[in-house]
Amino acid sequence: MSEELFKAMAQSVIDGDPDLAAELAQKAIEQGIDPLDAINKGFVPGVDYVGEQYGKGEMFLPDLVLAGEAMKAAVAVLEPEIARRGGQRQTLGTVVIGTVEGDIHDIGKTLVATMLSVGGFKVHDLGVDVSVGKFVEVARAVNADIVAMSALLTTTMVRQQDVIEALEDAGLRSRLKVMVGGAPVTRSWAEEIGADGYSEDAIGAVAVAKQLLGVG
Ligand code: B1M
């Protein structure tokens, strides 16, 4: 019975259907299924499949975006139930993420945040147009393991470097890892500014974050 439900959950993510994903998550709660099983045995195989197909060029960006939204809708229904049961999702580390100052592109950043959250990280999403000072302030306040910055404009990429310098000035740089990404960002840019990690997409970002912390 729950096997069928798990299959339907995976399919709802593959089909990028947030309403159905939320409905199936609710159904799992009503049937007394462990919400962690619903996430890990139901929805995660769906998002893994989409990630693999995207990697092979057989599914495309809209599929990835919709799969992320479906996953997010399901997790939003299940997380209160996890808290209610007193269970804790495995937390691999704390990530502070945002799009840098002067930049309002949020689709890729949000997708990366969702994937990190689904992948087991506690994510503080600061949104877009995030000032250098805000990254530092929140990283300190939440004792971040990773500061993750997205930039979509060649004119705003330089803010990633400013944040790294500000983390150094604040004495936080050696305590955490820095990841950068966004369409104009390259591996060589990441190396040039002294970031620890770079990924060109959201699926890769989860693997890089795990690798940086030596977890998962
Ligand atoms: Co803008 N825009 N835009 N735009 N926009 C680009 C980026 C641009 C390349 C379009 C172009 O000219 N071909 C160009 C930048 C040129 C440059 O600097 N080289 C551009 C421009 C010029 C502008 C404006 C200046 C236009 C204007 O007003 N004259 C303006 C800037 C506003 C500002 O930010 N201050 C502007 C505005 C906008 C909209 C608001 C209209 C809209 C954004 C809506 C929104 O985000 N809510 C928009 C859009 C949609 C785009 C394009 C078309 C698409 C961006 C997107 O969402 N892609 C974009 C062209 C393009 O990229 N093809 C463009 C989908 C998204 C899933 O991908 O964000 O790349 P992406 O994220 C990927 C990876 O990059 C990676 O993973 C994600 C998922 O795989 N990734 C990370 C992202 N962050 C990561 C972080 C990581 C790791 C991986 O670790 C921390």
Side-chain angles (χ1 to χ4, degrees), residues 54 61 64-65 97 102-109 111-112 148-155 179-184 199-202 205:
Y54 176 73
L61 203 53
L64 203 59
V65 172
I97 190 168
D103 198 325
I104 60 164
H105 293 87
D106 81 339
I107 298 168
K109 180 272 300 163
L111 194 53
V112 172
M149 291 176 272
S150 184
L152 265 286
L153 301 169
T154 43
T155 48
M179 272 175 68
V180 293
S199 165
E200 67 175 19
D201 60 31

Side-chain angles (χ1 to χ4, degrees), residues 68-143:
E69 284 176 7
M71 190 75 213
K72 219 170 165 175
V75 171
V77 172
L78 293 166
E79 267 182 343
E81 176 66 8
I82 293 169
R84 199 188 66 77
R85 288 182 173 222
Q88 196 80 70
R89 266 178 81 201
Q90 185 193 11
T91 301
L92 300 178
T94 300
V95 181
V96 169
I97 190 168
T99 302
V100 296
E101 189 167 354
D103 198 325
I104 60 164
H105 293 87
D106 81 339
I107 298 168
K109 180 272 300 163
T110 303
L111 194 53
V112 172
T114 301
M115 293 301 174
L116 285 170
S117 174
V118 163
F121 291 87
K122 181 167 189 185
V123 177
H124 296 266
D125 186 345
L126 307 183
V128 297
D129 191 19
V130 180
S131 69
V132 172
K134 187 78 183 168
F135 274 110
V136 175
E137 179 196 321
V138 179
R140 190 198 300 280
V142 303
N143 198 16

Side-chain angles (χ1 to χ4, degrees), residues 152-174:
L152 265 286
L153 301 169
T154 43
T155 48
T156 59
M157 285 163 70
V158 287
R159 296 282 91 83
Q160 295 178 331
Q161 185 168 19
D162 295 344
V163 172
I164 291 175
E165 285 170 9
L167 288 168
E168 265 162 19
D169 292 345
L172 295 175
R173 182 67 187 93
S174 58

Side-chain angles (χ1 to χ4, degrees), residues 1-9 28 31 33 37 41-42:
M1 182 63 187
S2 48
E3 286 310 311
E4 268 174 41
L5 187 55
F6 290 156
K7 273 192 193 155
M9 286 168 166
Q31 291 184 6
I33 292 171
D37 279 350
K41 297 183 186 169

